[in-house]
Amino acid sequence: DPHIVQRYALSVLYFATGGPPVDHNTDFSLKRRGGPWRNPTNFLTPNHECEWKSSVMKGEGRGGGIRRCDADKNVVELSIYNELSGTIPSELGRLSFLRTLYLGRNNLVGTIPTELGMIKPIASISLQYNQLTGEIPQSDLHRIPTLRFLQLEGNPLSGKIDKDGPLCQMRVDKKRSAETNSEQKRVLRVLSATCVPSLGDESVGDILQCDCCTRCFAKENEAE
């Protein structure tokens, strides 16, 4: 049953990102005093997971959640900004109908899971302003044929996004190839990160180098 897998993946996300314990006495409407998942989102209630979302969508008290499901109750939009901590679990790759993932402006650490490359219909991945480290799993994300937006700024990522590498190849301008007589089109429209333009073989320390980002953000302690 794909919905069991869906419910499992979302439950793992809850606990992996600091979700407090839940039992039959839990009042899901209460706001916590602080910490991860402080604003109520109805996660892990007995209701269908499509109802796991905050009743407050704007302003103070919002926490996000499942923003949209399709007609078959598959989750297609997941957006949580609720002081999450911990790591992004690999199980999110099992949300095979997901089109939008927003986990920006939380306190997440660790690396970007390679398993996100398993979500074939996803168009937008927004993980900006966390504390994610390591290199971007470029080869895995390259397998997503529909990816249009990849927003990673505000994270101390490292490595290099090379002009001939997988992500830059996803930013090919629409043109007719003389060799194949076919059109190539730009798939990845937005690619943003805390980075510097590539300086060839010159070392720039641990900061990410990028040859094709639509915008390189400066480190927070530097002027843009």
Side-chain angles (χ1 to χ4, degrees), residues 3-102:
H3 288 139
I4 293 178
V5 174
Q6 174 174 276
R7 196 175 185 90
Y8 168 74
L10 293 169
S11 299
V12 172
L13 171 66
Y14 176 83
F15 288 114
T17 55
V22 171
D23 60 27
H24 65 282
N25 293 317
T26 299
D27 186 343
F28 293 95
S29 66
L30 291 179
K31 179 176 180 176
R32 302 178 69 225
R33 292 186 176 180
W37 297 84
R38 64 178 300 188
N39 294 311
T41 58
N42 292 315
F43 258 67
L44 303 192
T45 63
N47 300 335
H48 191 277
E49 50 273 21
C50 288
E51 298 180 31
W52 290 0
K53 57 187 174 183
S54 173
S55 59
V56 180
M57 303 311 290
K58 294 183 179 180
E60 184 179 354
R62 63 178 182 168
I66 308 305
R67 298 296 297 270
R68 190 160 57 95
C69 288
D70 63 18
D72 297 318
K73 293 191 174 182
N74 299 303
V75 173
V76 297
E77 184 173 346
L78 173 60
S79 179
I80 304 176
Y81 28 86
N82 209 354
E83 301 184 27
L84 308 189
S85 62
T87 59
I88 302 173
S90 61
E91 284 81 2
L92 280 190
R94 305 299 297 273
L95 298 176
S96 55
F97 294 89
L98 196 63
R99 297 174 192 166
T100 300
L101 173 64
Y102 181 92

Side-chain angles (χ1 to χ4, degrees), residues 118-134:
M118 297 167 53
I119 312 175
K120 300 308 179 187
I122 198 164
S124 178
I125 297 176
S126 300
L127 305 175
Q128 65 267 46
Y129 298 106
N130 284 287
Q131 290 298 317
L132 301 173
T133 55

Side-chain angles (χ1 to χ4, degrees), residues 14 20 24 72-73 76 81 115 123 131 136-137 160 163 174 176 193 205 220 224:
Y14 176 83
H24 65 282
D72 297 318
K73 293 191 174 182
V76 297
Y81 28 86
E115 288 80 4
Q131 290 298 317
I136 301 169
K160 183 176 181 179
K163 64 181 180 180
K174 188 173 182 180
R176 184 166 294 280
E220 290 188 0
E224 289 191 7

Side-chain angles (χ1 to χ4, degrees), residues 172-190:
V172 173
D173 282 318
K174 188 173 182 180
K175 61 184 179 181
R176 184 166 294 280
S177 170
E179 294 180 0
T180 62
N181 196 32
S182 62
E183 284 192 346
Q184 296 176 315
K185 60 181 179 179
R186 179 174 294 180
V187 177
L188 191 55
R189 297 174 183 169
V190 173

